[in-house]
Amino acid sequence: MTVPPRPRAARFATFMFFGLNGFAMGMWVVHIPNVERATGISHSTLGALLLVLGGAAFAGMQVAGPLVDRLGHRRLVPAGGILVGLGVCGPGFANSWWALGLSLIFFGFGNGAIDVGMNSHAVVVERAYPRPIMAAFHAVWSIGGAIAAVIGAATLKAGVPTGVTLTGAGLLCVLLSVLSARFLMEPADVPAVVASSDASEPVVTRRPPGRTVWLLGLLALALMLSEGVANDWAALHMEKVLGTSASTAALAYGAFAVAMTTGRFLTDRVAAWAGPAAIVRYGAILAAVGLTTAAAAPWVPLSLVGWALFGLGLSGGVPQLFTAAGNLDTRASGALMARVVGLGYVGLLAGPAVIGGLTRWMPLNVTFAVPVVLCVLAAVFAGVLSPKPEPVAQPVRC
């Protein structure tokens, strides 16, 4: 089936929103040390404010979910992008804990709104394609963060003030949001596109989601909690458990991140062949094997292989869960997406805290048993992604 120009343009616009969101988040992360020094806050205060950022993002997701169903993607997604662009400027000018807190509330709310909006729109665009395309969007999010790291490092080295850098990044996000808005699609646009491309394809009507959406959300929580563990503890594991230098320890997260990004670019083609349930099931098993290897390895090279396998295994699962949630009921796609994305985000925030708490009673590498078990459970319950055939009515004999 040849994809018409409209979905192709919408796909490109979706790439832009995922990229700018990753870019904005990356620019904030790179400048956290500068912002901490400028505001004069302690590490503990910064930790509390980061929780405020996460809470605001969760609130933005829950507000944006129903709104995207009511107002449409052409309004909600660009609005989220503009909020993120404006929000990332604030921390660069904060001079106290309360000013930074207000800035992070605004930034977090916008980040939550665009997260749900762009994922919901990605599901709409994917319906117009004859193959899965969701995982590539998430890969571009990672690319946006990598670009931010490079640009942020360059501006920091050049001595550019934090406020100037973050304002420039924010204005770029606003500009891209405005320019990309006109290319977005609404759910009502998809049937016409599909019909004009291949009229022989059947129209599928889905049952009400019931408890399925909550199971998808719990799977997202399990996989994203595991991802959060790698984000915050991979380098520390290498340094504290294997006794490496800080520079060598950084390779652990690098191996994880590169493998995850690469895996997301490859996932769509594999999902088209094997199906979403297989991606989650076998990916979660690979992730469990990888993290077990990383935690138990006595040698640095083997541990790096484990972290890479962990990232590769986790790379494709979450996009499949988001797609499944958005397709449970096309009339409430945004609201359903908000539940799954929200629960996943809770896991992403909770993972590092859970591991940190457990380290009071056991070694760091032993605490990794928690995400390993969660990955195994995700593999066990991956069957929720396998569509059940509709019952066929039997003819009544008289």
Side-chain angles (χ1 to χ4, degrees):
M1 182 180 77
T2 302
V3 180
R6 187 171 188 178
R8 290 203 300 270
R11 184 187 184 192
F12 180 78
T14 311
F15 277 130
M16 295 298 295
F17 281 106
F18 272 85
L20 72 86
N21 183 220
F23 178 74
M25 288 300 296
M27 291 298 284
W28 152 243
V29 169
V30 168
H31 288 88
I32 285 178
N34 272 15
V35 172
E36 185 182 35
R37 285 191 293 270
T39 54
I41 60 177
S42 64
H43 292 330
S44 58
T45 301
L46 176 63
L49 291 176
L50 291 177
L51 286 178
V52 170
L53 171 68
F58 183 81
M61 292 173 187
Q62 305 315 305
V63 171
L67 283 181
V68 74
D69 295 325
R70 186 177 305 172
L71 301 178
H73 297 97
R74 291 193 188 97
R75 295 180 181 178
L76 193 282
V77 179
I82 291 170
L83 285 177
V84 166
L86 296 177
V88 78
C89 301
F93 298 99
N95 55 11
S96 62
W97 69 266
W98 60 266
L100 179 59
L102 290 176
S103 299
L104 293 182
I105 289 173
F106 189 81
F107 181 44
F109 189 90
N111 184 61
I114 193 175
D115 202 337
V116 168
M118 68 189 184
N119 274 288
S120 177
H121 182 259
V123 172
V124 172
V125 176
E126 190 175 45
R127 291 181 197 142
Y129 273 74
R131 63 185 186 278
I133 59 173
M134 174 65 86
F137 293 132
H138 289 254
V140 170
W141 189 95
S142 300
I143 296 297
I147 293 173
V150 173
I151 294 177
T155 56
L156 287 170
K157 185 176 181 179
V160 179
T162 300
V164 173
T165 303
L166 292 183
T167 298
L171 292 178
L172 177 62
C173 291
V174 171
L175 178 62
L176 292 176
S177 297
V178 173
L179 293 177
S180 302
R182 62 187 294 265
F183 300 107
L184 300 181
M185 293 176 63
E186 302 295 351
D189 299 331
V190 177
V193 169
V194 174
S196 64
S197 304
D198 191 347
S200 64
E201 293 187 6
V203 178
V204 179
T205 56
R206 299 183 179 271
R207 295 178 176 182
R211 289 178 292 184
T212 304
V213 66
W214 295 111
L215 185 52
L216 292 172
L218 290 174
L219 289 174
L221 186 149
L223 295 181
M224 293 182 71
L225 186 149
S226 301
E227 180 181 344
V229 169
N231 292 343
D232 284 47
W233 293 102
L236 281 173
H237 163 260
M238 292 284 285
E239 186 175 352
K240 302 299 183 183
V241 177
L242 295 181
T244 68
S245 65
S247 58
T248 302
L251 295 176
Y253 176 71
F256 172 84
V258 170
M260 173 169 274
T261 303
T262 303
R264 283 178 170 169
F265 277 118
L266 299 175
T267 291
D268 289 329
R269 293 186 180 276
V270 179
W273 168 69
I279 292 293
V280 174
R281 179 177 296 113
Y282 297 111
I285 292 173
L286 180 61
V289 171
L291 185 55
T292 301
T293 302
W299 308 293
V300 171
L302 183 58
S303 184
L304 290 176
V305 169
W307 284 113
L309 291 177
F310 188 45
L312 186 63
L314 290 178
S315 62
V318 169
Q320 309 308 310
L321 297 173
F322 287 178
T323 293
N327 285 319
L328 283 174
D329 186 345
T330 56
R331 298 165 299 179
S333 178
L336 296 172
M337 183 77 73
R339 297 181 196 176
V340 176
V341 176
L343 282 173
Y345 197 75
V346 168
L348 191 67
L349 294 175
V354 169
I355 297 301
L358 290 176
T359 55
R360 299 179 181 179
W361 297 286
M362 61 187 73
L364 177 58
N365 56 337
V366 177
T367 66
F368 290 162
V370 173
V372 167
V373 170
L374 289 176
C375 287
V376 172
L377 289 174
V380 171
F381 291 100
V384 70
L385 289 160
S386 298
K388 296 180 179 180
E390 297 288 339
V392 179
Q394 299 294 328
V396 179
R397 296 184 179 180
C398 299

